[in-house]
């Protein structure tokens, strides 16, 4: 069974390895490319910690993140935590059940002022009452122009892995613009 993976690198390759280990044939066709965005780190004294919801934030934050190195970095999951540690930054909490659970855990310890290093595309979440979160966009998932073989790759796949709501919307637009029959996918 062929599984089409449309997420950007390096996630596509990592997903392909897990798909292959599960006995499926992975086919990578990234619909996005992760790119850094220009940003400047604010005064770190205005924050108690940094929030990371994607390893891409660390990978693409660039040298500005060095200004924040005295702060603790909280990660939503293991991949984000690994990126924080690999960058030599101080890892605090690692969430296991999503952003809201992590924020709830942090709020139980007193809330605080968090700086969120985020992508341009953000999912809304509830912020505990005693917590303030300020966002700095440090990366984006930019759509890629797909080659002529993309339609055939989509049609030959048995399953398509959609890694986010935005990816699902982009994929649906691609399918409709190409005139592909959704029922064949």
């Amino acid at each position: 069974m062929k599984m089409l993976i449309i997420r950007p690198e390096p996630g596509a390759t990592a997903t392909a390895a897990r798909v292959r280990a599960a006995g499926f044939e992975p086919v990578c066709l990234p619909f996005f490319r992760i790119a850094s965005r220009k940003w400047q780190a604010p005064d770190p004294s205005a924050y108690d910690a940094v929030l990371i919801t994607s390893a891409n934030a660390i990978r693409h934050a660039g040298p500005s993140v060095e200004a924040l190195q005295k702060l603790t970095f909280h990660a939503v999951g293991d991949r984000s935590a690994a990126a924080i540690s690999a960058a030599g930054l101080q890892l605090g909490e690692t969430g296991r059940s999503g952003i809201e659970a992590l924020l709830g855990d942090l709020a139980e310890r007193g809330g605080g002022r968090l700086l969120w290093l985020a992508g341009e595309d953000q999912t809304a979440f509830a912020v505990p009452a005693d917590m303030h979160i300020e966002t700095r966009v440090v990366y984006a998932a930019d759509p890629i122009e797909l080659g002529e073989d993309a339609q055939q790759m989509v049609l030959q796949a048995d399953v398509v892995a959609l890694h986010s709501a935005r990816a699902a919307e982009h994929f649906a637009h691609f399918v409709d613009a190409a005139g592909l029959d959704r029922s064949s996918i």
Side-chain angles (χ1 to χ4, degrees), residues 53-183:
T53 57
S54 171
N56 285 319
I58 297 297
R59 286 188 205 112
H60 295 277
S64 292
V65 78
E66 292 172 18
L68 306 172
Q69 66 186 358
K70 291 184 180 178
L71 292 172
T72 299
F73 285 66
H74 300 298
V76 167
D78 291 336
R79 288 186 191 95
S80 297
I84 291 166
S85 295
L89 300 166
Q90 182 179 336
L91 177 62
E93 298 289 323
T94 300
R96 302 283 176 229
S97 301
I99 182 70
E100 290 180 349
L102 174 61
L103 292 178
D105 290 346
L106 294 174
E108 286 179 10
R109 292 177 188 81
R113 301 162 299 155
L114 300 179
L115 175 64
W116 180 22
L117 301 184
E120 280 182 352
D121 184 47
Q122 301 161 15
T123 302
F125 53 84
V127 178
D130 61 344
M131 189 174 285
H132 173 76
I133 299 177
E134 187 175 319
T135 305
R136 288 288 193 277
V137 172
V138 300
Y139 75 95
D142 295 329
I144 294 175
E145 182 142 344
L146 300 172
E148 294 177 15
D149 58 341
Q151 291 181 26
Q152 242 356 80
M153 291 173 77
V154 168
L155 291 174
Q156 291 174 357
D158 299 299
V159 177
V160 180
L162 301 171
H163 62 281
S164 69
R166 181 170 177 234
E169 288 174 18
H170 196 68
F171 181 76
H173 176 75
F174 170 81
V175 167
D176 293 343
L180 301 177
D181 178 11
R182 285 185 179 209
S183 68

Side-chain angles (χ1 to χ4, degrees), residues 7 11 13-23 79:
R7 70 185 303 198
T13 298
T15 299
R18 290 190 303 276
V19 166
R20 190 174 293 106
R79 288 186 191 95

